[in-house]
């Protein structure tokens, strides 16, 4: 099968395009990565070139050795992925040591994988281990309302999560652990990757203050649904705070606890009073 005919590639492209349409990917902002399944690698093998040179990842990810990933390209615009996937995305393979990668498909006009490759691969490694291989996706975008909130809310998991949960009843069900928060840091390197991946041991969503958000999940729909839910909640919070200094009523801790049984979720106790 051709790479572009594969279902996971079509789903990947759809997330890039939907994120762009949401306004989360100005210029070359944001990036997406997907750890391919055995059968998916097998299905597109005819198009994979394994004779390309290896380059350092900028991170050590031994638990991802010999695995294949579909990732967006550095400096590429999410806006263009749908019309020109071969120019804007690529399939990479991690080597035997977990220190290097090679490009096996895509980026036909040159280039390299996302500038956030260390964060993507370190996060993908952490969540692979945490979920016994279930989680395969890491998505980074510049969701507007979430970024706005990092200027007015304390950069504290408990406060941030609590405020977001209160804005929509579905929130605690969709992200029962809450959101992790990384203070402002220089993007693109190993340092921010280490801080983010520490939080990914616990949270499916990690906010980068004054920058954006990283989300992870099992498949494209659930990862998309997670960021979409968090950003929607952030938008409501921005509206509420624009209208009034305080809330007249809200969802209480008791209310949150009442959701646990019917929805079969365990909420992060640190967030409840
Ligand atoms: O430009 O979003 O964090 C891509 C990014 C870097
Ligand atoms: Zn970014």
């Amino acid at each position: 099968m051709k790479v572009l005919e594969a279902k996971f590639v079509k789903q990947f492209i759809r997330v890039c395009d939907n994120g762009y349409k949401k306004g989360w990917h100005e210029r070359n902002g944001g990036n997406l990565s997907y750890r391919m399944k055995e059968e998916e690698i097998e299905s597109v093998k005819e198009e994979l070139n394994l004779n390309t040179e290896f380059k350092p990842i900028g991170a050590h990810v031994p638990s991802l050795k010999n695995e294949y990933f579909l990732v967006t390209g550095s400096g590429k615009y999410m806006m263009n992925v749908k019309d020109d996937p071969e120019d804007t995305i690529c399939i990479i393979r991690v080597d035997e040591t977990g220190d290097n990668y090679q490009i096996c498909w895509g980026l036909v006009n040159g280039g390299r994988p996302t500038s956030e490759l260390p964060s993507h691969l370190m996060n993908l490694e952490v969540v692979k281990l945490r979920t016994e291989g279930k989680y395969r996706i890491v998505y980074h975008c510049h969701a507007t309302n979430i970024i706005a909130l990092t200027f007015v809310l304390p950069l504290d998991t408990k406060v941030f999560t609590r405020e977001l949960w209160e804005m929509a009843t579905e929130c605690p069900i969709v992200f029962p652990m809450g959101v992790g928060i990384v203070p402002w840091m220089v993007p693109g390197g190993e340092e921010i990757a280490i801080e983010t991946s520490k939080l990914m041991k616990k949270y499916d969503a990690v906010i980068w203050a004054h920058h954006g958000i990283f989300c992870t999940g099992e498949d494209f729909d659930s990862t998309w649904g997670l960021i979409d839910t968090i950003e929607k909640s952030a938008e409501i919070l921005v509206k509420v705070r624009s209208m009034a200094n305080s809330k007249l009523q809200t969802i209480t801790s008791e209310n949150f606890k009442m959701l646990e049984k019917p929805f079969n979720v365990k909420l992060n106790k640190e967030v409840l009073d």
Side-chain angles (χ1 to χ4, degrees):
M1 197 198 302
K2 300 274 182 233
V3 168
L4 293 177
E5 287 165 5
K7 187 174 173 200
F8 71 96
V9 179
K10 290 180 182 166
Q11 290 175 312
F12 182 100
I13 292 171
R14 195 157 70 103
V15 168
C16 294
D17 195 49
N18 285 345
Y20 171 68
K21 286 176 182 151
K22 283 274 194 180
W24 300 341
H25 296 295
E26 74 291 341
R27 205 173 180 274
N28 60 322
N31 22 75
L32 177 62
S33 61
Y34 172 70
R35 182 168 58 83
M36 289 165 62
K37 296 177 181 165
E38 276 299 323
E39 62 269 26
E40 290 167 339
I41 301 163
E42 204 52 47
S43 73
V44 297
K45 213 159 196 167
E46 60 183 270
E47 285 210 314
L48 302 182
N49 179 1
L50 301 182
N51 300 314
T52 53
E53 79 177 292
F54 280 95
K55 295 190 175 147
I57 293 165
H60 181 54
V61 286
S63 299
L64 299 181
K65 69 174 183 183
N66 301 323
E67 293 230 46
Y68 290 73
F69 303 84
L70 182 59
V71 298
T72 47
S74 177
K76 302 294 183 181
Y77 288 27
M78 287 290 198
M79 177 178 75
N80 297 330
V81 171
K82 189 175 170 201
D83 287 339
D84 204 355
E86 285 171 295
D87 171 70
T88 48
I89 65 178
C90 61
I91 291 175
I92 61 168
R93 183 171 82 95
V94 171
D95 74 356
E96 184 65 37
T97 65
D99 290 317
N100 307 291
Y101 72 90
Q102 63 177 160
I103 297 173
C104 306
W105 175 90
L107 290 177
V108 290
N109 299 307
R112 53 194 170 82
T114 166
S115 59
E116 302 293 358
L117 192 64
S119 278
H120 277 264
L121 292 183
M122 282 177 82
N123 290 336
L124 282 166
E125 180 176 57
V126 162
V127 297
K128 178 188 174 188
L129 296 171
R130 162 157 73 84
T131 65
E132 284 154 15
K134 236 169 61 176
Y135 277 26
R136 301 186 166 273
I137 296 172
V138 167
Y139 178 40
H140 167 59
C141 69
H142 298 171
T144 316
N145 293 285
I146 291 166
I147 299 171
L149 289 175
T150 64
F151 295 90
V152 298
L153 289 183
L155 301 177
D156 172 85
T157 283
K158 180 173 172 179
V159 179
F160 233 99
T161 300
R162 182 67 190 220
E163 290 286 341
L164 291 172
W165 278 6
E166 285 181 31
M167 291 304 110
T169 297
E170 66 170 333
C171 283
I173 300 157
V174 176
F175 50 105
M177 284 311 291
V179 292
I181 301 181
V182 174
W184 187 88
M185 288 180 77
V186 175
E190 191 173 11
E191 210 181 324
I192 195 166
I194 291 169
E195 289 313 307
T196 312
S197 63
K198 274 187 208 159
L199 292 169
M200 282 277 177
K201 287 190 178 142
K202 190 164 167 187
Y203 305 104
D204 285 354
V206 175
I207 292 170
W208 282 6
H210 322 323
H211 183 142
I213 185 165
F214 269 81
C215 281
T216 184
E218 185 174 350
D219 53 39
F220 291 99
D221 280 355
S222 60
T223 310
W224 174 265
L226 176 60
I227 167 64
D228 205 12
T229 304
I230 295 174
E231 171 61 6
K232 170 81 183 272
S233 169
E235 183 182 345
I236 299 170
L237 186 54
V238 168
K239 289 183 199 291
V240 168
R241 292 175 75 102
S242 309
M243 287 188 285
N245 288 329
S246 61
K247 301 164 202 147
L248 212 48
Q249 53 273 322
T250 187
I251 307 171
T252 65
S253 289
E254 277 315 302
N255 293 152
F256 285 131
K257 285 175 200 157
M258 288 164 72
L259 295 169
E260 289 191 301
K261 211 167 153 210
F263 290 95
N264 195 24
V265 284
K266 204 87 213 107
L267 303 185
N268 185 352
K269 277 202 177 38
E270 295 156 39
V271 177
L272 297 170
D273 291 333

